[in-house]
Structures are given as C-alpha cells and as structure tokens.
Amino acid sequence: MPESPNILPTTSQAKPCAIVIFGATGDLTARKLLPAIYNLTNDGLLHPDTVVVGFARRPKTDDEFRQEMLKGIDAFSRSRPVDKALWEKLAAHLFYHQSTFEDAQGYVSLAKRLGELDKQYGLSGRRLYYLSTSPTEFSTIVGHLGEAGLGNIDPFNSQAWRRVIVEKPFGHNLKSAHELNHQINRVFDESQVYRIDHYLGKQTVQNLLVFRFANGIFEPIWNRRYVDHVQVTVAEDIGVEGRGGYFDTAGTLRDMIQNHLMQLLTLVAMEPPVSLDGDAIRDEKVRVLKSILPYTPEQVESLTVRGQYVRGERNEKAVIGYLEERGVSPHSQTETYACVQLAIDNWRWYGVPFYLRSGKHLKRKGSEISIHFNRAPGVLFNTPQRGTGANVLTLRIQPRESIGLQINAKRPGTSATVTPVQMNFQYSEAFGSYSPEAYERLLLDAILGDSTLFIRRDEVESAWHIIDRIEESWSAGKPPLKFYAPGSWGPDEADQLLRKSGRSWDELPQ
Ligand code: BG6
C-alpha cells in the first residue's frame, strides 16, 4: 500500500548550504545545534559539504571553536561515542568568525568569507542564518545583515536562498513582538523567516496531527458534545539552572505558556486543514488563537494562578529558593509556575475549558496533553469515586512518548466494582528507540525550505494578544503571587481552580 503523505517529508538529502550561527559560543550551539548537525550528517540527511560558521564576539581560532563543539557533541549527541572519521570531515567544514554584533565591518568580512566558502564548496548562495543570541540583539543583527547585502539573492541564481531562524522569545509582549517582526521583515520576507519553537520538533507533537486526522474514530468525538475539558501540562523537575538573569525578565507565562503550551493547544483544538501545506496548517492554528477570549482583569484574577518556588528540598537534597538564584532580583515577583484556564469561543469548543499549567521544580518532569471526555451516565455503574469514571485520552510528549486511554473495567471477582484501567501505546515498543532530536528535525526542515513546523508572524502576535491581558493584571499583583515547595505540584490555588468545577489535575506518571 502506498504510504500516505505526511507532515514529515524529510527523507531527502539537503543540498549543501552555509549555516551561520550568531551567538555561537552560547549554550545552545554546543548542546543542541552542533549535536543536531552531527547526527543529521551521520544519518546522511545533510550534504557533506554543508558549512557551519560560528559568529560571536569572543576571540577564538577555528581550531578552538572546533574543540569546543566536539566537547558539546561528545556530551550531548544522541548517538555516541563520536565517530572519529565523521567528526574530522565535519570539523573541516566548521569555521569561526569573530565580531561583535554591532560592528558593521564584521558583516562585511562575513560576506566576503561566505563568498569564498560558497565557491570552495559549491554552495550556490544557499545560506541559513541562525539567531541564537539574546533577543535584544535580533534587530541589530538582522539590520546589519541587510546593510551588508547578506539578505539579498542574486536574481539570476535560481539555486540560491537566504533564510533566517529566530530563537524565542519573539518579543516581550505584543508591541515588542510587532516591532521585532517589523524589523526582521524589512530585510527578510516572511517566507524567509523561520521562528523556532522546539516543541514543534518533538515527534509526539507532530504525531498529534496524524493521530487526529489519520484516525476515523476520534474526530467525531473531538468537540464540546463529548469533551468535558482539556489539560496541557509541561512540568519540569529542575529550577532556572543558571538562566536566572533571562528568566527573571520573562517568567513562565512568557517563557513557556506563550509559545510551547499555546502551540500544543492550537494543535489539539484546530480544525482539519485543507491540506498539509505549511500555511494551510498555520492558518488553522491562527484561527484557534483568534477564537480564544481575551480576559477581563476580573477573569484573570479568578481563572489564573501564578506561583514561585521557595527554598526546600527534593530527594533529600536542599534546593535553593527562586529568590536566591543567581541573576534573580531578591524581591522578584516573577512566576516560576503558571496556570491558566482558557476558553475557545468557537463552534467546536464552546464551553470546554482548556487548562494549561507549567512550572519549574515540580514533582516530576513530564509534558502531556489529556482530553477528558464526558462521563457515562451514572445510572448503572455509578461508583462512589465519581470523577474516576471519565475516559481520558493522554498524549505523552516526554519523557516516554506514548498514547494512553483510560477506560473503566470490571474488577475480577463477585462484586460489580468498576475500576479505571489504562490502555497504552508506547512509541519505543512500536518503532524502536530511534527518535531524532527536535533540533535535528527543525534545522533540516529550514534547510529544505519547509516552514510547517515554524511559527508564523500572525501566530506569535495572536498569542501575545492573549498573554498581554494576563500579564497586565499579574504585574499589578492580581492575583497575588503564591508560593510552593520544590517537589510539589505547584500552589494549592491551581488545584482549587479545577476543584471549583469538580475537576482535578492528572497525576503525571513516574
Ligand atoms: C525552553 C525554556 O524554551 O524550554 C526553558 O526557555 C525550558 O525554560 C525548556 O526549561 C523546556 O524544554 P524541554 O524540551 O526540556 O521540555
């Protein structure tokens, strides 16, 4: 049987190109980007002539840069130990370009160097610029790329392209996101801009669309008539891990909910797209965001919870409180936990609450989406534990990718005891443990020119429109910040939010 088209058409080998990483001495390059490039090369998906140029301000030789990247690959690559022959080939295509982001000359010399590499490796003007810097640098870099002519394409070269990957956060609020997008779009057309959200590179997230639209049995019940509510959880069991300086200006609402969780919500809630074309999918995602009712200050107070972890202990080890983290203001009111109840005001989801929560130093690490269906009428098997009886479909994104369905079964024996049990599908059992890292998938897609798994300008701005209303009230202290112990599930108020309507949060598995 022919395989149906899917949203993962990335089996072809990409043509050689230059990948220029701005902020190449930062954590992301060694932890994620170079391991991803190494694995893509190892899998034969990147052309062996692909060239990587690290652009950063610290003085460094090509060789020093190569050694640092080797350490990163050695520590973080999914396939290890490092293959010596493969590494040597890759290292010969790795270069370092030293400049500050503000120095226009640095871009002029970059243009010259890229021109030479282009000829040497037959890159035909294919260039991917990766902005892996602090967001405050984005406009400066893009502006200089424009001035140095690095955004332009020779109109007589049909092989050439220029693309730019932008790391989150895309702005701090709607206004700054709008300005940033405007700056970027002055140099790059929207079709050249790839805003990355690494959650969209995760396999289970992509499988959400396959799950919803390639199976006949779920779509008829995927609506307000059958669904009681939806929960989206992204829980972390670590703190801010040395990123206090950045995190304190962002908080969980901006760092996680505005992007990763809102993206998950759109994929769960969207209508079937007219095709699997990137824009068709993103059109539907934007429609969901536009249907979310922006809150009044009173609604923010009653439908959201913000929390901050205090000093405590987990696994018998002391954990410092958020206010003691390096880079965090000692009086900070920044939330490390956020929970919001959202309403999608459209035909499919009218009246169905969507609960989103994310936090640091929670009891366990885990990301999952659960669809809670309406309970069966309680006339025959009404159990004393009402509330355990609903069917729940859980899509687990990490740490173990799986899909589970909670159903009710009769406990063996003479009594008619009804007990919830789990039907489980584990990805690793069905397909083995091979699972490319999110950054592998996304880098390759950008090189192949497939923007489906990247965020379009209107998606970012529509998400900020909702988040801004919540931030406005939160920054005025409404509702007040609550505190929670490391290793807990966050503030009690988050439980109360669901309890008000007789619901409760799912317990994430061990
Ligand atoms: C990042 C956030 O986008 O996602 C981090 O900035 C967070 O604060 C991380 O820790 C979580 O990603 P993952 O893939 O580990 O769930």
Side-chain angles (χ1 to χ4, degrees):
M1 253 206 337
E3 290 214 344
S4 36
N6 62 47
I7 52 165
L8 325 166
T10 48
T11 44
S12 52
Q13 193 189 57
K15 296 204 171 123
C17 67
I19 305 171
V20 185
I21 304 173
F22 291 90
T25 49
D27 236 24
L28 188 77
T29 312
R31 276 175 177 262
K32 299 286 182 191
L33 303 183
L34 256 295
I37 290 169
Y38 171 83
N39 283 309
L40 288 170
T41 312
N42 195 19
D43 290 348
L45 293 167
L46 273 198
H47 195 285
D49 277 339
T50 302
V51 160
V52 179
V53 180
F55 184 119
R57 35 169 102 93
R58 283 183 224 161
K60 213 179 279 291
T61 62
D62 285 344
D63 265 342
E64 284 166 343
F65 182 57
R66 288 172 186 149
Q67 286 317 307
E68 282 172 20
M69 295 305 110
L70 176 59
K71 272 196 211 138
I73 297 171
D74 200 31
F76 302 111
S77 161
R78 89 180 139 76
S79 54
R80 275 176 291 169
V82 177
D83 177 319
K84 199 161 176 284
L86 181 71
W87 162 249
E88 276 168 11
K89 269 195 222 149
L90 185 61
H93 291 76
L94 255 183
F95 304 94
Y96 187 72
H97 190 84
Q98 193 267 323
S99 169
T100 63
F101 301 127
E102 295 76 25
D103 179 8
Q105 272 312 311
Y107 297 80
V108 175
S109 52
L110 175 69
K112 187 162 167 279
R113 196 161 186 190
L114 288 176
E116 289 159 10
L117 291 170
D118 216 87
K119 283 202 197 93
Q120 190 178 344
Y121 293 100
L123 308 179
S124 300
R126 288 180 285 264
R127 288 181 197 161
L128 179 64
Y129 305 117
Y130 199 118
L131 305 191
S132 170
T133 65
S134 144
T136 49
E137 314 279 7
F138 292 168
S139 310
T140 312
I141 297 169
V142 171
H144 283 309
L145 285 173
E147 284 160 22
L150 284 163
N152 304 340
I153 306 171
D154 171 1
F156 299 107
N157 179 359
S158 61
Q159 294 290 311
W161 46 255
R162 306 278 195 265
R163 292 176 194 140
V164 59
I165 296 188
V166 191
E167 266 291 335
K168 65 172 266 270
F170 318 110
H172 192 69
N173 51 26
L174 177 57
K175 185 165 175 282
S176 56
H178 188 77
E179 274 162 19
L180 176 62
N181 284 328
H182 178 70
Q183 298 288 343
I184 294 174
N185 288 155
R186 278 170 61 174
V187 177
F188 295 100
D189 178 74
E190 183 59 24
S191 63
Q192 297 172 281
V193 184
Y194 290 67
R195 294 179 194 79
I196 208 165
D197 182 318
H198 77 279
Y199 263 68
L200 295 183
K202 295 185 192 261
Q203 294 292 308
T204 332
V205 175
Q206 292 155 36
N207 194 44
L208 232 160
L209 293 190
V210 176
F211 181 82
R212 283 193 58 195
F213 301 126
N215 291 298
I217 61 169
F218 301 112
E219 197 46 28
I221 54 170
W222 209 262
N223 57 48
R224 72 189 141 80
R225 282 185 292 282
Y226 298 92
V227 175
D228 175 70
H229 74 280
V230 176
Q231 299 185 14
V232 182
T233 300
V234 176
E236 294 186 89
D237 57 3
I238 51 173
V240 290
E241 305 294 294
R243 293 164 71 230
Y246 150 73
F247 193 86
D248 209 35
T249 62
T252 300
L253 193 62
R254 291 190 176 100
D255 184 51
M256 300 294 289
I257 307 264
Q258 188 273 346
N259 38 79
H260 307 321
L261 281 91
M262 293 290 255
Q263 283 295 317
L264 297 180
L265 175 142
T266 59
L267 292 170
V268 173
M270 67 188 255
E271 294 301 315
V274 288
S275 74
L276 291 173
D277 171 72
D279 272 328
I281 293 178
R282 294 184 298 177
D283 286 346
E284 295 306 335
K285 286 163 70 193
V286 169
R287 272 191 198 122
V288 173
L289 293 170
K290 290 200 164 147
S291 310
I292 295 177
L293 293 174
Y295 280 153
T296 60
E298 294 70 35
Q299 285 170 317
V300 176
E301 271 199 86
S302 61
L303 301 175
T304 70
V305 177
R306 59 195 188 109
Q308 191 183 79
Y309 63 82
V310 293
R311 180 195 289 223
E313 74 173 38
R314 60 182 314 149
N315 307 329
E316 294 172 12
K317 284 209 187 103
V319 169
I320 56 167
Y322 176 69
L323 295 183
E324 299 163 87
E325 299 273 7
R326 193 157 38 89
V328 171
S329 147
H331 307 291
S332 174
Q333 287 278 300
T334 300
E335 77 286 355
T336 57
Y337 176 97
C339 155
V340 298
Q341 175 181 336
L342 296 175
I344 303 176
D345 198 29
N346 67 13
W347 197 263
R348 187 189 282 265
W349 295 117
Y350 183 79
V352 178
F354 280 70
Y355 299 101
L356 275 53
R357 67 172 164 165
S358 181
K360 299 214 182 269
H361 266 317
L362 296 184
K363 189 165 176 185
R364 268 178 222 123
K365 179 176 173 65
S367 302
E368 60 176 53
I369 299 165
S370 61
I371 320 292
H372 289 241
F373 291 94
N374 293 334
R375 286 199 207 103
V379 283
L380 299 176
F381 299 111
N382 201 358
T383 59
Q385 330 88 304
R386 278 179 75 95
T388 59
N391 298 121
V392 183
L393 179 72
T394 307
L395 302 143
R396 296 206 170 89
I397 298 161
Q398 56 190 28
R400 275 175 300 282
E401 304 180 325
S402 65
I403 298 176
L405 180 63
Q406 177 173 291
I407 55 173
N408 295 309
K410 182 190 170 301
R411 189 178 277 282
T414 46
S415 71
T417 312
V418 178
T419 309
V421 291
Q422 294 290 330
M423 284 168 70
N424 257 315
F425 157 72
Q426 298 277 350
Y427 272 74
S428 56
E429 277 172 24
F431 301 114
S433 59
Y434 164 77
S435 185
E437 288 276 334
Y439 277 93
E440 293 175 37
R441 173 64 207 258
L442 295 172
L443 259 176
L444 185 60
D445 277 6
I447 293 170
L448 291 171
D450 183 347
S451 53
T452 312
L453 299 177
F454 293 84
I455 315 222
R456 215 167 55 185
R457 178 176 178 157
D458 50 354
E459 279 183 83
V460 177
E461 294 183 6
S462 307
W464 276 123
H465 184 63
I466 302 153
I467 297 298
D468 272 5
R469 302 291 278 267
I470 302 174
E471 281 292 352
E472 274 159 27
S473 292
W474 284 17
S475 57
K478 293 179 177 179
L481 184 68
K482 302 289 173 186
F483 298 92
Y484 64 97
S488 70
W489 279 119
D492 293 343
E493 284 72 9
D495 295 331
Q496 284 156 22
L497 179 68
L498 271 73
R499 214 175 298 132
K500 281 193 284 201
S501 53
R503 300 176 175 116
S504 60
W505 288 107
D506 298 319
E507 178 79 13
L508 267 60
Q510 295 265 7

Coordinates of all heavy atoms in Angstrom, one line a residue, residues 332-381:
S332 N 12.1 39.7 43.6 CA 11.4 39.4 42.3 C 10.0 38.8 42.5 O 9.7 38.0 43.5 CB 12.2 38.3 41.5 OG 11.5 37.9 40.4
Q333 N 9.0 39.3 41.7 CA 7.7 38.7 41.7 C 7.4 37.8 40.5 O 6.3 37.5 40.2 CB 6.7 39.9 41.7 CG 6.6 40.7 42.9 CD 5.7 40.1 43.9 OE1 4.5 39.8 43.7 NE2 6.2 39.7 45.1
T334 N 8.5 37.5 39.8 CA 8.4 36.7 38.6 C 7.9 35.3 39.0 O 8.4 34.6 39.9 CB 9.8 36.6 37.9 OG1 10.2 37.9 37.6 CG2 9.8 35.7 36.7
E335 N 7.0 34.8 38.1 CA 6.4 33.4 38.4 C 7.3 32.3 37.8 O 7.8 32.5 36.7 CB 5.0 33.3 37.9 CG 4.9 33.1 36.4 CD 5.1 34.4 35.6 OE1 5.4 35.5 36.1 OE2 5.1 34.2 34.3
T336 N 7.5 31.3 38.6 CA 8.1 30.1 38.1 C 7.1 29.0 37.8 O 7.4 27.9 37.4 CB 9.2 29.5 39.1 OG1 8.5 29.3 40.3 CG2 10.3 30.6 39.3
Y337 N 5.9 29.3 38.1 CA 4.7 28.4 37.8 C 3.6 29.3 37.3 O 3.3 30.4 37.8 CB 4.3 27.7 39.2 CG 3.1 26.9 39.0 CD1 3.2 25.5 38.8 CD2 1.8 27.4 39.0 CE1 2.0 24.7 38.6 CE2 0.6 26.7 38.8 CZ 0.8 25.3 38.6 OH -0.3 24.5 38.5
A338 N 2.9 28.8 36.3 CA 1.8 29.5 35.7 C 0.7 28.5 35.4 O 1.0 27.4 34.8 CB 2.2 30.3 34.5
C339 N -0.5 28.9 35.7 CA -1.6 28.0 35.3 C -2.8 28.9 34.8 O -3.1 29.9 35.4 CB -2.0 27.2 36.5 SG -3.7 26.7 36.6
V340 N -3.3 28.6 33.6 CA -4.4 29.5 33.1 C -5.5 28.6 32.6 O -5.3 27.5 32.0 CB -3.9 30.4 32.0 CG1 -2.8 31.4 32.5 CG2 -3.3 29.7 30.8
Q341 N -6.7 29.0 32.8 CA -7.9 28.4 32.2 C -8.3 29.2 31.0 O -8.6 30.4 31.2 CB -9.0 28.3 33.2 CG -10.3 27.7 32.7 CD -11.4 27.7 33.7 OE1 -11.2 27.6 34.9 NE2 -12.6 27.7 33.2
L342 N -8.3 28.6 29.8 CA -8.7 29.4 28.6 C -10.0 28.9 28.0 O -10.3 27.7 28.2 CB -7.6 29.4 27.6 CG -6.2 30.0 28.0 CD1 -5.2 29.7 26.9 CD2 -6.4 31.5 28.3
A343 N -10.7 29.8 27.3 CA -11.9 29.4 26.7 C -11.8 29.7 25.2 O -11.4 30.8 24.8 CB -13.1 30.1 27.2
I344 N -12.1 28.7 24.3 CA -12.0 28.9 22.9 C -13.4 29.1 22.4 O -14.3 28.2 22.5 CB -11.4 27.6 22.2 CG1 -10.0 27.4 22.8 CG2 -11.3 27.9 20.7 CD1 -9.3 26.2 22.2
D345 N -13.7 30.3 22.0 CA -15.1 30.7 21.7 C -15.4 30.4 20.2 O -15.7 31.2 19.4 CB -15.2 32.2 22.0 CG -16.6 32.6 22.1 OD1 -17.4 31.8 22.6 OD2 -16.9 33.8 21.8
N346 N -15.4 29.1 19.9 CA -15.9 28.7 18.6 C -16.9 27.6 18.6 O -17.2 27.1 19.7 CB -14.7 28.4 17.7 CG -13.9 27.2 18.1 OD1 -14.4 26.4 18.9 ND2 -12.7 27.0 17.5
W347 N -17.4 27.2 17.5 CA -18.4 26.2 17.5 C -18.0 24.9 18.1 O -18.8 24.2 18.8 CB -18.8 26.0 16.0 CG -20.1 25.4 15.8 CD1 -20.4 24.0 15.6 CD2 -21.4 26.0 15.9 NE1 -21.7 23.8 15.5 CE2 -22.4 25.0 15.7 CE3 -21.8 27.3 16.1 CZ2 -23.8 25.3 15.7 CZ3 -23.2 27.6 16.0 CH2 -24.1 26.6 15.9
R348 N -16.8 24.5 17.8 CA -16.3 23.1 18.3 C -16.1 23.1 19.8 O -16.4 22.1 20.5 CB -15.0 22.8 17.6 CG -14.5 21.4 17.9 CD -13.1 21.2 17.3 NE -13.1 20.9 15.9 CZ -13.1 19.7 15.3 NH1 -13.1 18.7 16.0 NH2 -13.0 19.7 14.0
W349 N -15.6 24.2 20.3 CA -15.1 24.1 21.7 C -15.9 25.0 22.7 O -15.5 25.1 23.9 CB -13.6 24.5 21.8 CG -12.8 23.6 21.0 CD1 -12.0 23.8 19.9 CD2 -12.6 22.2 21.4 NE1 -11.3 22.7 19.5 CE2 -11.7 21.6 20.4 CE3 -13.0 21.3 22.4 CZ2 -11.3 20.3 20.4 CZ3 -12.6 20.0 22.4 CH2 -11.8 19.5 21.4
Y350 N -17.0 25.6 22.3 CA -17.7 26.4 23.2 C -18.0 25.7 24.5 O -18.6 24.6 24.5 CB -19.1 26.9 22.5 CG -19.8 27.8 23.3 CD1 -19.5 29.2 23.3 CD2 -20.9 27.4 24.1 CE1 -20.2 30.1 24.1 CE2 -21.6 28.3 24.9 CZ -21.2 29.6 24.9 OH -21.9 30.5 25.7
G351 N -17.6 26.4 25.6 CA -18.0 25.8 26.9 C -17.0 24.8 27.4 O -17.1 24.3 28.5
V352 N -15.9 24.5 26.7 CA -15.0 23.5 27.1 C -13.7 24.2 27.7 O -13.0 24.8 26.9 CB -14.5 22.5 26.0 CG1 -13.5 21.5 26.4 CG2 -15.7 21.8 25.3
P353 N -13.5 24.0 29.0 CA -12.3 24.7 29.5 C -11.0 24.0 29.1 O -10.9 22.8 29.0 CB -12.4 24.7 31.0 CG -13.6 23.9 31.3 CD -14.2 23.4 30.0
F354 N -10.0 24.8 28.7 CA -8.6 24.3 28.4 C -7.8 24.8 29.6 O -7.6 26.0 29.8 CB -8.1 24.9 27.1 CG -8.7 24.1 25.9 CD1 -10.0 24.3 25.6 CD2 -7.9 23.3 25.2 CE1 -10.5 23.6 24.5 CE2 -8.3 22.6 24.1 CZ -9.7 22.7 23.7
Y355 N -7.2 23.9 30.3 CA -6.3 24.2 31.5 C -4.9 24.0 31.1 O -4.5 22.9 30.7 CB -6.6 23.3 32.7 CG -8.1 23.5 33.2 CD1 -9.0 22.5 32.9 CD2 -8.4 24.5 34.0 CE1 -10.3 22.6 33.4 CE2 -9.7 24.6 34.5 CZ -10.7 23.7 34.2 OH -11.9 23.8 34.7
L356 N -4.1 25.1 31.2 CA -2.7 25.0 30.8 C -1.9 25.2 32.1 O -2.1 26.2 32.8 CB -2.3 26.1 29.8 CG -2.6 25.8 28.3 CD1 -4.0 25.3 28.0 CD2 -2.3 27.1 27.5
R357 N -0.9 24.4 32.3 CA 0.0 24.7 33.5 C 1.4 24.3 33.2 O 1.7 23.3 32.4 CB -0.4 23.9 34.8 CG -0.3 22.4 34.6 CD -0.5 21.7 35.9 NE -0.7 20.3 35.6 CZ -0.7 19.3 36.4 NH1 -0.6 19.5 37.7 NH2 -0.9 18.0 36.1
S358 N 2.3 25.1 33.7 CA 3.8 24.8 33.5 C 4.5 25.3 34.7 O 4.1 26.4 35.3 CB 4.3 25.4 32.2 OG 5.6 25.1 32.1
G359 N 5.6 24.7 35.1 CA 6.3 25.2 36.2 C 7.7 24.5 36.4 O 7.9 23.4 35.8
K360 N 8.5 25.2 37.1 CA 9.8 24.6 37.4 C 9.8 24.0 38.8 O 9.0 24.5 39.7 CB 10.9 25.7 37.3 CG 10.9 26.3 35.9 CD 12.3 26.8 35.5 CE 12.3 27.4 34.1 NZ 12.6 26.4 33.0
H361 N 10.7 23.1 39.1 CA 10.8 22.4 40.4 C 9.5 21.8 40.8 O 9.1 21.9 41.9 CB 11.4 23.4 41.5 CG 12.8 23.3 41.6 ND1 13.5 22.1 41.6 CD2 13.8 24.2 41.8 CE1 14.8 22.3 41.8 NE2 15.0 23.6 41.8
L362 N 8.8 21.2 39.9 CA 7.6 20.5 40.2 C 8.0 19.0 40.6 O 9.1 18.6 40.5 CB 6.6 20.5 39.1 CG 6.1 22.0 38.7 CD1 5.0 21.9 37.7 CD2 5.5 22.7 40.0
K363 N 6.9 18.3 40.9 CA 7.2 16.9 41.4 C 8.0 16.1 40.5 O 8.9 15.3 40.8 CB 5.9 16.3 41.8 CG 6.0 15.0 42.6 CD 4.7 14.6 43.2 CE 4.7 13.3 43.9 NZ 3.4 12.9 44.4
R364 N 7.5 16.1 39.2 CA 8.2 15.3 38.1 C 8.3 16.0 36.9 O 7.6 17.0 36.6 CB 7.2 14.1 37.8 CG 7.5 12.9 38.6 CD 6.6 11.8 38.3 NE 6.3 11.3 39.6 CZ 5.1 11.1 40.1 NH1 4.0 11.5 39.4 NH2 4.9 10.7 41.3
K365 N 9.2 15.6 36.0 CA 9.3 16.1 34.7 C 8.3 15.4 33.8 O 8.2 14.2 33.9 CB 10.7 15.9 34.1 CG 10.9 16.4 32.7 CD 12.3 16.3 32.2 CE 12.5 16.6 30.8 NZ 12.3 18.0 30.4
G366 N 7.6 16.1 33.0 CA 6.7 15.4 32.1 C 5.9 16.5 31.3 O 5.5 17.5 31.8
S367 N 5.6 16.2 30.0 CA 4.8 17.0 29.2 C 3.7 16.2 28.6 O 4.0 15.1 28.0 CB 5.6 17.6 28.0 OG 6.7 18.4 28.5
E368 N 2.5 16.6 28.8 CA 1.4 15.8 28.2 C 0.1 16.6 28.0 O -0.1 17.6 28.6 CB 1.1 14.5 29.1 CG 0.7 14.8 30.5 CD 0.3 13.6 31.3 OE1 1.1 12.6 31.3 OE2 -0.8 13.5 31.9
I369 N -0.7 16.0 27.1 CA -2.0 16.7 26.8 C -3.0 15.6 27.2 O -2.9 14.4 26.8 CB -2.1 17.0 25.3 CG1 -1.0 17.9 24.9 CG2 -3.5 17.5 25.0 CD1 -0.8 18.0 23.4
S370 N -4.0 16.0 27.9 CA -5.1 15.0 28.2 C -6.4 15.5 27.8 O -6.8 16.6 28.2 CB -5.0 14.4 29.6 OG -5.2 15.5 30.5
I371 N -7.2 14.7 27.1 CA -8.6 15.0 26.7 C -9.5 14.2 27.7 O -9.5 13.0 27.7 CB -8.8 14.6 25.3 CG1 -7.6 14.8 24.4 CG2 -10.1 15.2 24.7 CD1 -7.3 16.2 24.1
H372 N -10.2 15.0 28.5 CA -11.1 14.3 29.4 C -12.5 14.3 28.8 O -13.1 15.4 28.6 CB -11.2 15.1 30.7 CG -9.9 14.9 31.5 ND1 -9.9 14.4 32.8 CD2 -8.6 15.3 31.2 CE1 -8.6 14.4 33.2 NE2 -7.8 14.9 32.3
F373 N -13.0 13.1 28.6 CA -14.3 13.0 27.9 C -15.4 13.0 29.0 O -15.2 12.8 30.2 CB -14.4 11.7 27.1 CG -13.5 11.8 25.9 CD1 -12.2 11.3 26.0 CD2 -13.9 12.4 24.7 CE1 -11.4 11.3 24.9 CE2 -13.1 12.4 23.6 CZ -11.8 11.9 23.7
N374 N -16.7 13.3 28.5 CA -17.8 13.3 29.4 C -18.0 11.9 30.0 O -17.7 10.9 29.3 CB -19.1 13.7 28.7 CG -19.0 15.1 28.2 OD1 -18.3 16.0 28.8 ND2 -19.8 15.4 27.2
R375 N -18.4 11.9 31.3 CA -18.6 10.6 31.9 C -19.9 9.9 31.3 O -20.8 10.6 30.9 CB -18.9 10.8 33.4 CG -17.6 11.1 34.1 CD -17.8 10.8 35.6 NE -17.0 11.7 36.3 CZ -17.4 12.8 36.9 NH1 -18.6 13.1 36.9 NH2 -16.5 13.6 37.5
A376 N -19.9 8.6 31.4 CA -21.1 7.8 31.0 C -22.1 8.2 32.1 O -21.8 8.4 33.2 CB -20.8 6.4 31.0
P377 N -23.4 8.2 31.7 CA -24.5 8.4 32.7 C -24.3 7.4 33.9 O -24.0 6.3 33.6 CB -25.8 8.1 32.0 CG -25.4 8.3 30.5 CD -24.0 7.9 30.4
G378 N -24.4 7.9 35.1 CA -24.1 7.1 36.2 C -25.2 6.2 36.7 O -25.3 5.7 37.8
V379 N -26.2 5.9 35.8 CA -27.4 5.1 36.3 C -27.1 3.7 36.6 O -27.7 3.1 37.5 CB -28.5 5.2 35.2 CG1 -29.2 6.5 35.3 CG2 -28.0 4.9 33.8
L380 N -26.1 3.1 35.9 CA -25.9 1.6 36.1 C -24.7 1.4 37.0 O -24.8 0.6 38.0 CB -25.7 0.9 34.8 CG -26.8 1.0 33.8 CD1 -26.5 0.4 32.5 CD2 -28.1 0.3 34.4
F381 N -23.6 2.0 36.7 CA -22.3 1.7 37.4 C -21.8 2.9 38.2 O -20.6 3.2 38.1 CB -21.2 1.1 36.5 CG -21.6 -0.1 35.8 CD1 -21.8 -0.1 34.4 CD2 -21.7 -1.3 36.5 CE1 -22.2 -1.2 33.7 CE2 -22.1 -2.4 35.8 CZ -22.3 -2.4 34.4

